[in-house]
Amino acid sequence: MTSSAWESALSQLDEASRIMNLDPGVHDVLRNPKRSLTVAVPIKLDSGLVKVFTGYRVHHNTTRGPSKGGIRYHPAVTLDEVKALAMWMTWKCAIAGIPYGGAKGGVVVDPKALSRDELERLTRRYAAEIGPLIGPERDVPAPDLGTDEQIMGWIMDTYSMIAGHSVPGVVTGKPLSIGGSLGRGEATSRGVMYITEATLKHRGAKVDETRVAIQGYGKVGAPAVRLLTELGCIVVAVSDVNGGVYNPRGLSPTGLEAHRDDTGTVVGFEGGESITNEELLEIPCDVLVPAALEGQITENNAERVKAEVIIEGANGPTTPEADAILEDRGVLVVPDILANSGGVTVSYFEWVQDLQAYFWDEDEVNMKLRRIMERAYVDVLDIAEERKIPTRMAATILGVSRVAEAHVTRGLFP
Ligand code: NAD
């Protein structure tokens, strides 16, 4: 049976702890989220009726600093999923070496089924309900699946209205006009590009002969198509929730963007032939970038993945069962907690700029991002090569060891 995200996250931590010989008490602390909040979010619909949605905010760990993590709006959000994503954020921040713990939030809702006014009311009420947990020194949310910079703007405004003054550092991924950072919008995709570049270089592969398939055409997937094409790769396939397109000679990023802007989907783009989402994962290519949901590469399709390298743009796209199959087959999986940390890294830059009220130009943001991503890549690879273990386990060990060290140094309260 395929694992849930929370089971996957726990089994990765357990395995890392076993290999590291981690103190059982510290292991137990890290297995348990520090705090989990469930909130009822009642809003008035445009029809005048009141409907109650369920929301969550989980702080997995705050030992290394305020917690950081996105807010997800999706009908399939569960507390267990939010807990898993919060734990992965803890490791991700530690691997990148940024001074944050891990958190995540979510609301069980299909945002596309709400009007803009309903979405704003939902966001403001959710922000007020999780208000006691968030703040620039406590916990700093950001966008994730189904949320965007406008939603971050509403959260910033709601929090600021209650505080009585503007608090830009309470969320990241905000619009530029209210304290957002240049480069934040495409930071996750840019990080995916830097990691792809480093991986191809390490393997001695030629960038301009590398065929890439990308699942998901949202905030991570769409800029990744453009940035990987700019790097020199041939992006042969892309998909969204409705289906995908394939062209072995390469897809035009600008053509795709224009088609998505006109129709709301990549499906029907005339620069390629139609494929299903299942076909995308098994398409002939060298690098596969899952950038949609978790649990996409499972024991049911891992055997048929043609790519030699998987760069995880999404969080948790590969189940532990699939990981084992891919490892046997010699497929390199560059894990989410390393590959998609560009987003949280530039979120950190945004927060630093907000706290200092002093803003950087885009070159400075991108240069600092590249430095952090390349450093993290080398740190993870060193552990993988030294211990002869898969990259995901190496990354988890790096993250867990940094958090464990901070935990032991601080000591246990009281
Ligand atoms: P998004 O909502 O902007 O885009 C999601 C994309 O996935 C859309 O194109 C959607 O159509 C597609 N999709 C949804 N269900 C699908 C399905 N069943 N099959 C194929 N495609 C499907 O979300 P996003 O922010 O791009 O996030 C994507 C993933 O990346 C998530 O796992 C998220 O946690 C992770 N992530 C995002 C960021 C960020 O900065 N946005 C940072 C790190 C990780």
Side-chain angles (χ1 to χ4, degrees):
M1 209 190 84
T2 300
S3 311
S4 72
W6 179 234
E7 286 164 346
S8 297
L10 280 180
S11 79
Q12 288 156 5
L13 169 62
D14 293 347
E15 178 66 0
S17 303
R18 190 187 62 72
I19 296 173
M20 296 161 67
N21 215 0
L22 186 68
D23 175 90
V26 176
H27 178 203
D28 210 15
V29 168
L30 298 180
R31 281 188 117 246
N32 291 280
K34 180 181 171 70
R35 45 175 87 96
S36 305
L37 178 68
T38 301
V39 292
V41 188
I43 62 157
K44 199 173 261 186
L45 300 175
D46 293 344
S47 65
L49 291 175
V50 170
K51 184 167 173 169
V52 182
F53 295 86
T54 301
Y56 306 104
R57 186 73 188 169
V58 172
H59 295 176
H60 171 257
N61 190 284
T62 58
T63 308
R64 297 180 63 261
S67 52
K68 189 88 190 78
I71 291 172
R72 176 171 287 200
Y73 285 180
H74 193 277
V77 164
T78 61
L79 180 57
D80 266 6
E81 178 189 65
V82 176
K83 280 159 59 180
L85 291 161
M87 181 186 276
W88 286 325
M89 284 306 299
T90 302
W91 315 146
K92 196 182 293 186
C93 294
I95 293 163
I98 56 180
Y100 285 140
K104 203 79 182 189
V107 179
V108 187
V109 60
D110 176 4
K112 292 204 180 82
L114 297 185
S115 71
R116 185 182 155 92
D117 285 349
E118 289 168 339
L119 199 60
E120 179 172 351
R121 288 196 288 274
L122 176 87
T123 300
R124 288 184 180 280
R125 184 62 190 249
Y126 170 68
E129 294 296 344
I130 65 166
L133 290 198
I134 62 175
E137 277 146 11
R138 292 166 185 247
D139 172 30
V140 186
D144 191 68
L145 209 74
T147 54
D148 60 14
E149 60 170 34
Q150 175 60 72
I151 289 174
M152 296 307 114
W154 289 326
I155 295 176
M156 179 271 195
D157 184 68
T158 303
Y159 188 89
S160 298
M161 284 298 122
I162 294 169
H165 57 96
S166 286
V167 189
V170 66
V171 282
T172 57
K174 298 179 294 294
L176 276 179
S177 58
I178 54 170
S181 174
L182 289 166
R184 174 60 183 93
E186 61 178 39
T188 307
S189 323
R190 186 169 284 279
V192 163
M193 187 260 276
Y194 291 149
I195 292 291
T196 306
E197 190 180 17
T199 305
L200 294 177
K201 196 167 155 197
H202 187 73
R203 293 169 70 86
K206 291 209 171 83
V207 172
D208 57 0
E209 289 173 8
T210 300
R211 298 161 303 159
V212 182
I214 301 178
Q215 184 199 37
Y217 195 70
K219 292 185 293 299
V220 180
V225 173
R226 180 170 44 77
L227 290 165
L228 286 167
T229 306
E230 280 170 22
L231 179 67
C233 298
I234 311 153
V235 177
V236 294
V238 63
S239 70
D240 61 27
V241 66
N242 304 303
V245 281
Y246 171 59
N247 184 341
R249 292 189 309 281
L251 296 161
S252 151
T254 45
L256 265 174
E257 264 172 44
H259 180 84
R260 189 267 325 263
D261 290 348
D262 284 351
T263 64
T265 172
V266 297
V267 175
F269 175 56
E270 56 189 23
E273 63 182 83
S274 286
I275 52 167
T276 64
N277 249 306
E278 293 70 36
E279 286 168 337
L280 179 126
L281 297 171
E282 300 168 17
I283 218 90
C285 65
D286 306 297
V287 174
L288 175 63
V289 181
L293 302 177
E294 58 260 18
Q296 296 299 296
I297 304 169
T298 68
E299 75 251 57
N300 300 323
N301 59 9
E303 248 353 306
R304 296 189 300 276
V305 167
K306 310 272 187 318
E308 289 172 9
V309 175
I310 296 175
I311 308 271
E312 293 186 335
N315 286 310
T318 314
T319 63
E321 296 81 4
D323 258 340
I325 296 170
L326 294 166
E327 196 197 340
D328 279 351
R329 293 185 49 220
V331 177
L332 172 69
V333 180
V334 184
D336 44 12
I337 49 179
L338 170 64
N340 70 30
S341 62
V344 73
T345 301
V346 177
S347 271
Y348 164 59
F349 297 162
E350 178 175 334
W351 177 79
V352 169
Q353 293 170 82
D354 288 338
L355 295 186
Q356 299 184 339
Y358 179 66
F359 291 86
W360 314 343
D361 65 30
E362 194 163 352
D363 284 349
E364 186 171 357
V365 170
N366 292 344
M367 186 191 66
K368 288 190 158 100
L369 172 64
R370 180 188 273 276
R371 203 181 296 153
I372 285 185
M373 299 291 302
E374 290 181 349
R375 177 78 255 161
Y377 181 82
V378 170
D379 287 349
V380 169
L381 227 68
D382 282 353
I383 295 177
E385 287 175 0
E386 196 184 299
R387 293 189 180 251
K388 302 196 176 7
I389 51 175
T391 326
R392 185 186 315 282
M393 195 39 62
T396 308
I397 286 175
L398 179 63
V400 172
S401 64
R402 286 180 175 166
V403 179
E405 187 192 337
H407 180 76
V408 172
T409 307
R410 282 180 62 159
L412 190 60
F413 176 85

